[in-house]
């Protein structure tokens, strides 16, 4: 999808990413999602090669992807975050994403911030690649079985232009 319309910019909020894109993908309604956000196995690629896979081509250093959950072990307790040349390291605390239109602000998801490190863990070097990982927490009970069988995460990848490796978006 080319962004040829003047002034067009794909810039969904955290709430929209979870309530519209991630929820519809999990509930088996991919036609509402697939023309905007491509499904890729995030850890099969190096961060620099991911922008070419994005559905929306723009000059913004921001890309969106859906990825099936991958686990290190069959017990599904640890998420796989390694790539062929490095790994994504979680940093900071997980943030709750709340539904804004409701007064009580129900938590609909979790947002994690990850930084890409090149190399093995003992001598890894942080890079300017940063990613937000979204998980849904608000599925109706009947749909939670589908979620367990078809777990997806939504990733918002961007390149930090400042080369400040420890300066993160805390909003």
């Amino acid at each position: 999808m080319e962004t040829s319309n003047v002034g067009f910019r794909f810039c969904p909020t955290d709430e929209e990413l979870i309530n519209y894109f991630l929820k519809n993908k999990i509930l088996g309604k991919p036609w509402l999602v697939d023309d905007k956000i491509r499904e890729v196995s995030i850890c099969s690629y190096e961060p620099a090669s991911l922008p070419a896979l994005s559905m929306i081509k723009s000059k913004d250093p921001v890309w969106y992807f859906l990825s099936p959950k991958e686990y290190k072990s069959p017990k599904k307790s640890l998420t796989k975050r390694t790539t062929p040349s490095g790994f994504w390291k979680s940093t900071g605390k997980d943030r709750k994403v709340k539904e804004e239109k409701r007064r009580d602000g129900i938590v609909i998801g979790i947002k994690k911030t990850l930084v890409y490190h090149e190399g093995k863990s003992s001598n890894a070097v942080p890079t300017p690649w940063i990613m937000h990982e979204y998980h849904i927490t608000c599925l109706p009970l009947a749909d939670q079985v589908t979620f367990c069988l078809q777990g997806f995460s939504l990733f918002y990848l961007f390149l930090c232009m400042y080369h400040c490796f420890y300066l993160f978006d805390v909003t």
Side-chain angles (χ1 to χ4, degrees), residues 46-99:
E46 298 305 316
S49 61
L50 285 168
L53 301 174
S54 178
M55 293 292 289
I56 297 177
K57 308 295 183 201
S58 82
K59 295 181 189 212
D60 287 338
V62 176
W63 306 274
Y64 297 87
F65 300 98
L66 284 157
S67 181
K69 285 188 176 181
E70 296 181 56
Y71 297 97
K72 287 184 179 180
S73 67
K75 291 184 178 182
K76 296 186 176 187
S77 57
L78 296 172
T79 305
K80 179 185 175 224
R81 299 196 196 286
T82 57
T83 69
S85 304
F87 60 94
W88 290 99
K89 182 178 180 182
S90 183
T91 184
K93 63 179 183 175
D94 294 355
R95 293 181 304 278
K96 296 175 182 174
V97 178
K98 295 183 177 183
E99 193 170 47

Side-chain angles (χ1 to χ4, degrees), residues 93-150:
K93 63 179 183 175
D94 294 355
R95 293 181 304 278
K96 296 175 182 174
V97 178
K98 295 183 177 183
E99 193 170 47
E100 296 297 324
K101 62 185 170 188
R102 297 182 78 167
R103 191 175 303 175
D104 53 357
I106 291 178
V107 175
I108 58 170
I110 302 292
K111 177 181 177 180
K112 294 177 176 286
T113 300
L114 301 111
V115 175
Y116 187 71
H117 289 67
E118 285 184 342
K120 300 294 179 196
S121 60
S122 58
N123 60 350
V125 178
T127 69
W129 288 100
I130 300 171
M131 180 166 63
H132 292 300
E133 179 179 15
Y134 293 87
H135 299 274
I136 195 165
T137 60
C138 65
L139 286 176
L141 191 57
D143 296 320
Q144 288 180 9
V145 174
T146 304
F147 175 65
C148 291
L149 297 174
Q150 298 179 301

Side-chain angles (χ1 to χ4, degrees), residues 13-80:
T13 63
D14 292 346
E15 180 183 358
E16 291 167 336
L17 287 170
I18 290 173
N19 260 348
Y20 186 79
F21 294 103
L22 187 54
K23 184 186 271 185
N24 283 322
K25 183 70 174 182
I26 290 168
L27 296 178
K29 301 174 185 173
W31 61 90
L32 297 171
V33 179
D34 289 347
D35 66 331
K36 300 270 188 294
I37 301 178
R38 177 166 282 147
E39 181 182 327
V40 297
S41 178
I42 286 284
C43 291
S44 297
Y45 299 93
E46 298 305 316
S49 61
L50 285 168
L53 301 174
S54 178
M55 293 292 289
I56 297 177
K57 308 295 183 201
S58 82
K59 295 181 189 212
D60 287 338
V62 176
W63 306 274
Y64 297 87
F65 300 98
L66 284 157
S67 181
K69 285 188 176 181
E70 296 181 56
Y71 297 97
K72 287 184 179 180
S73 67
K75 291 184 178 182
K76 296 186 176 187
S77 57
L78 296 172
T79 305
K80 179 185 175 224

